[in-house]
Amino acid sequence: MPAINKTAIITGITGQDGAYLAQYLLGLNYSVVGLTRSYSSAGLSKLMKLGIDTQIQLEECDLMDYSSIIRILQKYKPDEFYNLAAQSSVAASFNQPIGTIQFNSISVLNILEAIRSSNSDIRFYQASSSEMFGRVPELPIREDNVLNPVSPYAISKATAHWIVRNYREAYGIFACSGILFNHESSLRDDTFFVKKVIESARKIKAGKMDMLHVGNIMIKRDFGSSKEYVKVMHAMLQHFQPDDYIVASGKSVLLKDIIDFVFNYIGVPADRYIVDEKLFRPSEIIDLYGDSSRARIKLGWDYKLDFFDVLTDIIDEIESAND
Ligand code: NAP
């Protein structure tokens, strides 16, 4: 095991990326402190699935409360701070625009203010999102493309993204944004598209569901692997210079092709889904894929996975966990 002896704080520790990042950092011999909004409702199932729940110091912290963050920074004196907590669903953000925009932007401001006033040497990672770019005139997306967000989620992430840049440029904080494109795993919540398709196909096969209901599946997204993408979050904070980085596979996939692949792999007839216009988003992006040359050149990031191979692994993992 490498002899790193650093302390990292992770917000959103109970989420998909929080769990994989914690696992990765523990493997590098970090002390990991995970922040949760409430001990009583903290869902530790993802950390338990990875067998790391007992290796993490869990702390309750309201990220909307600056003084709670100061208390945590003083108690743990972290070297690195990974901010993954967010209302992370684009679809849910149309139903909860105020909560999404308030939490996803003000929490970031609170953390950076706390870092600036207590220890400006702490290195900070922000979970930015490809959704910030919205409808773009040309693809692939690069870090300096204009932001044109088209959902409350995207607006919240764009706001946070500019807060990070401002703290880096104005105060010299080592603050990086990882602009991640969609990334999936068996730990993804069932409400997100890929996991929903897999779980629904399994239910249809078992006779527990009749049809999968989906929104607009004639759109394309750039999908990757969560397990792999968390490694580049860490790499960003080890570089000598803070920067923003696109993290993407470089290829987009039609959502309908994901349904066809999953149904075929699990053994469900190809026509067992219904496109339901009620599930369409009020505004939609047709295609998104990114160019991660900066991460590849500056951080030596070497991601080559084809998404259908990632998908196969996710399905196999879910099937074997349920055998
Ligand atoms: P996730 O599984 O939905 O996890 C979100 C985490 O944020 C959970 O731990 C959740 O805690 C926490 N959270 C939500 N609202 C909160 C609040 N009001 N106060 C405190 N904590 C709150 O998301 P993920 O896939 O791991 O994504 C991690 C980050 O990357 C998010 O910021 C997301 O927006 C961003 N991102 C994700 C993707 C992707 O494809 N996965 C792509 C680009 C960017 P609870 O368990 O208490 O709900």
Side-chain angles (χ1 to χ4, degrees):
M1 186 181 286
I4 297 174
N5 191 10
K6 287 186 182 173
T7 298
I9 290 183
I10 303 178
T11 73
I13 189 85
T14 53
Q16 167 187 254
D17 291 2
Y20 283 120
L21 178 64
Q23 183 184 47
Y24 182 61
L25 295 182
L26 287 168
L28 295 175
N29 211 22
Y30 275 65
S31 300
V32 175
V33 181
L35 304 190
T36 172
R37 51 179 138 183
S38 148
Y39 286 134
S40 56
S41 66
L44 301 182
S45 63
K46 297 182 176 70
L47 299 170
M48 287 160 80
K49 276 187 191 148
L50 299 184
I52 56 170
D53 50 309
T54 55
Q55 297 172 54
I56 287 156
Q57 180 70 44
L58 202 62
E59 278 279 355
E60 204 169 63
C61 178
D62 177 1
L63 299 175
M64 296 300 272
D65 174 18
Y66 168 79
S67 61
S68 299
I69 305 168
I70 291 277
R71 178 183 61 79
I72 295 288
L73 297 186
Q74 285 170 346
K75 181 169 174 188
Y76 290 100
K77 304 192 176 6
D79 301 282
E80 295 166 13
F81 194 114
Y82 295 87
N83 184 38
L84 309 183
Q87 192 299 98
S88 66
S89 158
V90 176
S93 79
F94 283 104
N95 296 326
Q96 306 157 24
I98 299 171
T100 301
I101 291 176
Q102 271 176 346
F103 180 77
N104 291 3
S105 57
I106 300 300
S107 59
V108 181
L109 186 56
N110 283 336
I111 297 165
L112 283 165
E113 260 304 284
I115 288 176
R116 181 169 84 89
S117 63
S118 69
N119 175 6
S120 56
D121 289 334
I122 297 169
R123 295 189 168 204
F124 175 80
Y125 172 86
Q126 166 62 12
S128 283
S129 163
S130 55
E131 293 285 325
M132 304 186 304
F133 293 102
R135 283 198 205 97
V136 285
E138 63 179 284
L139 292 165
I141 291 170
R142 299 191 177 83
E143 287 82 357
D144 297 323
N145 274 56
V146 172
L147 305 185
N148 182 20
V150 297
S151 67
Y153 170 78
I155 293 165
S156 74
K157 287 288 182 180
T159 307
H161 189 70
W162 281 108
I163 293 171
V164 172
R165 276 198 174 189
N166 182 245
Y167 273 71
R168 183 167 71 222
E169 286 165 12
Y171 307 117
I173 306 279
F174 195 109
C176 299
S177 282
I179 307 166
L180 271 59
F181 283 58
N182 295 58
H183 46 282
E184 308 296 322
S185 74
S186 61
L187 296 186
R188 199 54 149 150
D189 283 346
D190 293 356
T191 49
F192 289 90
F193 179 78
V194 171
K195 189 73 181 302
K196 174 178 159 176
V197 173
I198 297 171
E199 290 300 349
S200 301
R202 286 168 40 77
K203 284 185 193 145
I204 292 168
K205 183 151 188 225
K208 293 179 186 157
M209 188 189 255
D210 186 29
M211 290 285 201
L212 161 69
H213 288 249
V214 286
N216 187 354
I217 52 172
M218 299 314 286
I219 61 170
K220 296 171 91 178
R221 289 290 184 275
D222 181 331
F223 288 97
S225 154
S226 171
K227 273 183 215 174
E228 292 303 314
Y229 281 15
V230 296
K231 297 178 185 169
V232 74
M233 299 176 183
H234 173 257
M236 286 177 210
L237 298 198
Q238 313 315 307
H239 198 266
F240 64 89
Q241 237 175 11
D243 208 341
D244 301 327
Y245 296 92
I246 296 264
V247 177
S249 78
K251 260 177 36 188
S252 58
V253 176
L254 192 67
L255 300 197
K256 180 179 181 306
D257 291 344
I258 292 179
I259 298 180
D260 291 344
F261 181 91
V262 172
F263 277 23
N264 179 49
Y265 191 79
I266 291 184
V268 165
D271 59 356
R272 296 288 289 274
Y273 69 87
I274 294 174
V275 174
D276 181 348
E277 290 208 2
K278 288 199 287 299
L279 298 175
F280 280 37
R281 290 172 186 169
S283 52
E284 186 57 277
I285 305 168
I286 300 305
D287 193 4
L288 269 188
Y289 57 95
D291 175 352
S292 37
S293 303
R294 185 183 289 175
R296 290 176 191 273
I297 293 165
K298 283 181 70 175
L299 307 176
W301 190 54
D302 185 25
Y303 184 84
K304 294 196 185 84
L305 297 179
D306 180 90
F307 185 62
F308 290 102
D309 293 333
V310 174
L311 198 48
T312 306
D313 286 348
I314 295 173
I315 300 170
D316 290 347
E317 229 174 81
I318 293 172
E319 299 268 53
S320 63
N322 287 285
D323 273 350

